[in-house]
Amino acid sequence: MKRFLKLVLKDLEGSRLPTLFLSGITLVFMAFVRYKVSFGSWHSQMSVLAVALPTAFFPLWLIWRSFQTLRSEWREDTVYTLLALPVPGWQVMLAKLVSLCVEYSVLFAVTVGGTSLFFGGLLDELWSMVSSLSWVVWNGFWVYAAGLAVYSSLIIYIQLAFVVSKMVGKVQGLVALWVWVLASWLADKAAVLLAPLFRWLPTLRLHEFLRLNELDSGIVFEWHPAGQIGLVLATVAFFFLTGYLFEHYVEINE
Amino acid sequence: MRASEQALVVRDLRKRYPKVEALKGVSIALPKGEIWGLLGPNGSGKSTLLKCVAGLLQPDGGEIEVLGLPPSREAKAEIAFVPEVDTLYRWMTVRQVLDFTAAFYQDWQEETAGELLEFMRLDPEAKVSSLSKGMRARLKLILALARTAPLILLDEPFSGIDPSSRDRIVEGIIRQFKGEEQTMIISTHAVGDTEQLFDAVVFLDEGTINLQGNAEDLRTRWGKSINDLFKEVFA
């Protein structure tokens, strides 16, 4: 556990500067828009821009970071250190996954915090639609959790594609792309194949769970998880496959 | 850990890269408690051999045994490998590098690390990115010598380093090498200043062994220093 934590801390420390920089830029941008709106230079609807821009940019940034955290290990030759360590490959990958999830959480918190801080007053109309603060917190948390789940699976596919690409000497970019497509196709097939095995699971009435009836009593939002379980299992299998390949088959030769 | 008479046994090791066969059936057996010089010009297969032993390259054929263990996570715990390239995280401080390494190896000696830090004249609060190449080489050496790892592999530790750093490194090796418990392989193509370190040497050329044996025996047999022998073999 101590070893794993050390790996996580190392990755967190490595991502500290870029995360702080992006958080700072985002808050400055929000403050700038708020200033313009407050003094009448810009229409109040421009506030949406201050929230929409980071929200649109962050996913791209996070995908780039998932790739970059691995790429930098090769570029700076620190992959020698990682491969020489007596730790399982999946721990190295999990440490990166955890640190990227922390990065996602920080950026999510910055977006939410910045929005509340700078535009809280301007969003009165929106607040009037919801019944309580607890509703906002509850649904906000599940939006965060769903985003985290999607992002985590994306990271796993990026890690697999990157590690496999490092097992070949040429056309690494093409190999990475091909592995990404193939892994996604396999996961999709696994989802379809395994779905009948999980038909017995109950349909989840998410409109009740998310208290959507507090917005409008007519909202129905149901989800049956059978189709997604194969996808999750395949993604978990790909994660361990990446760790195994990293530990046993990745070579370095400058 | 399994008991083994030899620290390292390599049998008929082969490794091919897309354009070149780097190792063409190399076989060596290193007894415990010796410092071996792995000597050869650039491209002779020295680094490839060490990387195969450290588990960073997968051989195409042959066998490797580290203290009786096949290449594995368990074997990695017994090896202190210092590659030629800079493998340090540049944003870390010297102290952070030591703490990071210490977390992964049970044989890490905190006290020895402190002594070596002082001996190598490194500031623990200095960032790796601010260190000169010689200082980084000294730091990498501390990472190996602060452990009581049974097998130490140093790949070109003197390459491109100023003479004062080189002298420090040689002195550091002499001071810290625990002859009864450890075995060391130093690969180099600069034999002159390091000849004194070697108990035995292996001459590697284009992936094959030209010559190997006890350093003193070779000196007596050929009537010349290892350095002169090296020059003659690779002339």
Side-chain angles (χ1 to χ4, degrees):
Chain A
M1 194 63 185
K2 184 183 160 196
R3 293 171 173 189
F4 174 67
L5 284 178
K6 210 69 186 173
L7 285 171
V8 175
L9 286 175
K10 184 266 293 173
D11 284 324
L12 279 177
E13 189 64 30
S15 66
R16 190 166 56 107
L17 269 181
T19 308
L20 282 177
F21 177 74
L22 189 63
S23 302
I25 291 274
T26 304
L27 291 174
V28 168
F29 175 68
M30 284 180 167
F32 173 73
V33 174
R34 182 71 176 94
Y35 170 81
K36 288 287 190 186
V37 169
S38 294
F39 288 90
S41 310
W42 288 357
H43 191 273
S44 66
Q45 283 179 344
M46 288 297 281
S47 310
V48 177
L49 180 77
V51 182
L53 261 184
T55 311
F57 177 67
F58 284 170
L60 297 175
W61 166 266
L62 288 165
I63 288 171
W64 163 249
R65 288 283 304 145
S66 312
F67 167 73
Q68 183 62 15
T69 51
L70 277 169
R71 183 171 165 255
S72 65
E73 301 281 6
W74 264 264
R75 206 182 48 198
E76 291 163 22
D77 290 324
T78 47
V79 68
Y80 279 80
T81 303
L82 291 181
L83 286 173
L85 294 176
V87 293
W90 66 263
Q91 284 194 10
V92 175
M93 294 299 145
L94 186 61
K96 292 199 176 293
L97 179 66
V98 169
S99 79
L100 286 163
C101 287
V102 170
E103 209 169 310
Y104 162 86
S105 305
V106 169
L107 293 178
F108 189 90
V110 165
T111 309
V112 172
T115 306
S116 311
L117 185 68
F118 296 112
F119 306 103
L122 298 173
L123 298 173
D124 284 344
E125 219 175 293
L126 189 68
W127 294 125
S128 66
M129 288 169 65
V130 298
S131 56
S132 64
L133 181 64
S134 76
W135 187 94
V136 175
V137 172
W138 177 250
N139 280 278
F141 171 76
W142 287 108
V143 168
Y144 159 78
L148 188 64
V150 171
Y151 179 51
S152 300
S153 58
L154 258 177
I155 297 169
I156 289 169
Y157 284 82
I158 289 171
Q159 288 182 336
L160 175 67
F162 189 90
V163 166
V164 173
S165 77
K166 287 295 171 190
M167 291 164 57
V168 296
K170 288 178 182 173
V171 289
Q172 293 183 338
L174 204 62
V175 169
L177 193 67
W178 185 81
V179 170
W180 175 298
V181 171
L182 181 69
S184 305
W185 181 80
L186 283 172
D188 189 53
K189 285 285 162 210
V192 173
L193 281 171
L194 295 177
L197 294 175
F198 299 99
R199 288 264 186 261
W200 54 272
L201 287 168
T203 298
L204 302 176
R205 297 166 63 83
L206 292 179
H207 56 278
E208 287 175 6
F209 181 72
L210 297 172
R211 294 158 50 190
L212 297 182
N213 54 344
E214 291 178 29
L215 285 180
D216 184 340
S217 57
I219 296 176
V220 176
F221 180 23
E222 291 181 338
W223 176 61
H224 197 281
Q228 268 65 47
I229 289 181
L231 204 65
V232 172
L233 291 176
T235 305
V236 171
F238 286 144
F239 169 75
F240 284 103
L241 175 67
T242 306
Y244 182 81
L245 293 175
F246 179 77
E247 187 182 346
H248 296 280
Y249 290 100
V250 165
E251 295 191 332
I252 27 175
N253 190 44
E254 74 280 7
Chain B
M1 191 168 63
R2 276 193 273 165
S4 171
E5 288 301 307
Q6 309 286 352
L8 173 68
V9 177
V10 173
R11 290 188 204 96
D12 195 27
L13 195 68
R14 294 174 184 278
K15 178 67 188 174
R16 166 168 273 286
Y17 296 126
K19 287 182 183 170
V20 65
E21 193 170 2
L23 296 174
K24 303 169 184 169
V26 170
S27 297
I28 47 172
L30 272 66
K32 289 176 179 171
E34 292 190 351
I35 299 181
W36 279 55
L38 184 58
L39 314 178
N42 289 331
S44 57
K46 305 186 298 292
S47 294
T48 301
L49 175 57
L50 293 188
K51 282 182 200 167
C52 285
V53 173
L56 272 63
L57 283 178
Q58 317 304 321
D60 294 321
E63 283 175 40
I64 298 170
E65 277 181 19
V66 176
L67 303 151
L69 298 165
S72 58
R73 212 180 296 152
E74 209 180 346
K76 283 180 184 176
E78 308 296 334
I79 299 172
F81 175 51
V82 178
E84 183 183 5
V85 295
D86 271 341
T87 58
L88 305 166
Y89 289 94
R90 294 183 152 258
W91 50 264
M92 282 186 181
T93 63
V94 169
R95 170 76 60 211
Q96 284 173 322
V97 171
L98 299 184
D99 289 346
F100 179 76
T101 309
F104 293 93
Y105 299 100
Q106 290 181 337
D107 55 17
W108 181 264
Q109 308 294 309
E110 196 60 47
E111 204 176 312
T112 311
E115 285 168 18
L116 279 166
L117 210 54
E118 213 166 295
F119 175 73
M120 295 290 186
R121 295 179 188 158
L122 291 174
D123 173 9
E125 302 316 317
K127 283 220 174 218
V128 171
S129 56
S130 71
L131 302 179
S132 68
K133 189 172 181 185
M135 287 166 150
R136 292 199 300 273
R138 281 184 260 157
L139 176 55
K140 284 197 294 178
L141 193 74
I142 294 176
L143 302 183
L145 296 182
R147 293 175 53 196
T148 53
L151 183 60
I152 301 175
L153 310 174
L154 306 182
D155 191 8
E156 299 280 4
F158 314 108
S159 173
I161 287 170
D162 58 285
S164 69
S165 286
R166 192 171 55 219
D167 293 346
R168 284 262 138 194
I169 288 175
V170 171
E171 214 180 318
I173 291 171
I174 293 169
R175 275 169 64 132
Q176 290 300 329
F177 180 67
K178 297 153 196 82
E180 318 80 48
E181 308 155 26
Q182 295 185 305
T183 303
M184 188 182 284
I185 307 179
I186 304 173
S187 88
T188 184
H189 59 267
V191 186
D193 301 329
T194 52
E195 181 171 338
Q196 47 167 322
L197 288 171
F198 306 135
D199 296 307
V201 291
V202 176
F203 283 28
L204 200 60
D205 189 24
E206 293 182 357
T208 53
I209 291 176
N210 271 2
L211 188 67
Q212 68 173 310
N214 178 282
E216 202 47 56
D217 289 351
L218 289 175
R219 282 188 203 104
T220 311
R221 193 167 125 206
W222 296 89
K224 52 184 77 170
S225 68
I226 298 294
N227 191 28
D228 289 338
L229 202 55
F230 179 82
K231 285 176 188 164
E232 197 177 297
V233 169
F234 297 109

